[in-house]
Amino acid sequence: MPDSRVPRRRRYLVCEPRHFAVQYAINPWMHPDEPVDVIRALDQWQALVDTYRAHGHTVDTVKPVPGLPDMVFAANAAVVVDGRVFGSLFHAPERRPESVPYEAWFKTEGYEVYHPESVCEGEGDIVPAGRWILAGTGFRTTREAHSEVQEYFGVPVIGLTLVDPYFYHLDTALFVLDEGPDGNIAYYPEAFSPGSREVLARLYPDAVLATREDAMAFGLNSVSDGRHVFISPGATDLAGQLADRGYVPVPVDLSEFRKAGGGIKCCTQEIREIRS
């Protein structure tokens, strides 16, 4: 395939996993009796940050707060579209305090932050996809939040129902490869309800379809800049499919974060400014 994919420089917000731990269980991946190797997590996280910067992307950091072990999962804190910030209201009481330091960071940077009235877990379930926003529900973010997102951004929202608890956030079952008018996605069909699978098939007839094995390896918790796809090294079949489509898979091992049900995208909040 011609080498025609063009990357777009991105701005990412991340949070160092200084206090990362599995202290409670709010998804099937979490087992508090399995210890976390914090040093290994720090090394893996730093490798992700270094990889982003090596590919020309800007990386900002928010200071971690003691007692918030999941704060490393920056994607859940907000959704930013055209420089407007839609904040978070977490489903689990243990995570609700995370919204405060992220909101403070955005305000320090000069942004106003919208407070959702309904449960909404940021880019975990709200995925900007060019002409519309894909929005997950079923385990965390509510359908009422989908309406709030649409009213706030003025962008059509496509609701998708997740049915497999291992894929409790939309960003564990789907990621956007390109956000342009002819944008495309990769996803795992069986993570969705029958009606949602039909919607995705209509919207993205040429989508990259992942196997359960690659989805369970967090291959769909990936980040794409339009050419490079930062992906779990365990998602080998998916990486091969992407390479066949002209993308460049960039393996980054964040396996320590899988103990909390997270991966590359979970650790990455994208700040989308108004494009000129």
Side-chain angles (χ1 to χ4, degrees):
M1 183 170 182
D3 186 17
S4 59
R5 305 289 182 189
V6 179
R8 179 174 65 80
R9 289 190 176 183
R10 313 286 177 122
R11 183 184 180 193
Y12 298 131
L13 179 63
V14 300
C15 180
E16 182 186 34
R18 194 181 312 163
H19 309 295
F20 176 57
V22 178
Q23 298 176 346
Y24 42 79
I26 56 174
N27 67 56
W29 301 91
M30 302 179 82
H31 301 284
D33 56 335
E34 294 182 9
V36 166
D37 186 334
V38 177
I39 300 302
R40 185 167 185 249
L42 283 163
D43 289 343
Q44 290 181 344
W45 177 86
Q46 189 60 56
L48 176 65
V49 171
D50 292 345
T51 301
Y52 283 150
R53 289 176 173 155
H55 285 80
H57 304 303
T58 299
V59 181
D60 293 305
T61 58
V62 62
K63 186 177 179 179
V65 175
L68 299 180
D70 283 339
M71 194 175 162
V72 62
F73 300 128
N76 304 150
V79 182
V80 185
V81 177
D82 290 339
R84 306 183 71 196
V85 182
F86 188 102
S88 61
L89 176 59
F90 286 91
H91 179 266
E94 295 92 337
R95 296 200 65 186
R96 290 193 172 184
E98 295 176 33
S99 300
V100 176
Y102 279 103
E103 178 177 341
W105 185 91
F106 279 112
K107 287 184 174 179
T108 299
E109 292 291 310
Y111 297 92
E112 292 185 4
V113 180
Y114 174 86
H115 295 277
E117 296 178 4
S118 306
V119 170
C120 186
E121 300 202 349
E123 284 190 323
D125 279 320
I126 308 298
V127 179
R131 291 175 291 181
W132 44 67
I133 292 173
L134 303 176
T137 191
F139 297 101
R140 301 292 183 83
T141 298
T142 65
R143 290 195 179 277
E144 290 78 9
H146 295 181
S147 298
E148 286 188 71
V149 168
Q150 181 166 283
E151 286 299 312
Y152 183 67
F153 290 123
V155 176
V157 170
I158 310 296
L160 302 168
T161 301
L162 296 160
V163 296
D164 186 326
Y166 279 96
F167 307 104
Y168 58 93
H169 271 154
L170 185 60
D171 72 356
T172 65
L174 174 154
F175 74 97
V176 174
L177 287 162
D178 307 285
E179 292 184 13
D182 299 318
N184 203 7
I185 65 170
Y187 70 101
Y188 171 53
E190 284 70 26
F192 298 91
S193 67
S196 295
R197 290 199 296 270
E198 289 188 28
V199 168
L200 289 169
R202 287 174 182 269
L203 293 178
Y204 300 101
D206 196 37
V208 178
L209 303 183
T211 64
R212 183 173 183 84
E213 290 73 20
D214 282 350
M216 291 291 285
F218 273 67
L220 292 164
N221 197 241
S222 295
V223 171
S224 172
D225 66 12
R227 172 173 168 78
H228 308 100
V229 179
F230 306 96
I231 187 171
S232 165
T236 53
D237 182 72
L238 179 58
Q241 289 194 68
L242 294 172
D244 290 342
R245 302 284 190 104
Y247 297 96
V248 179
V250 181
V252 184
D253 181 15
L254 257 65
S255 54
E256 195 64 22
F257 297 95
R258 204 175 306 164
K259 295 176 180 178
I264 293 170
K265 176 56 192 171
C266 289
C267 293
T268 309
Q269 166 76 230
E270 181 172 349
I271 301 176
R272 299 171 181 82
E273 305 291 5
I274 297 174
R275 300 184 193 177
S276 57

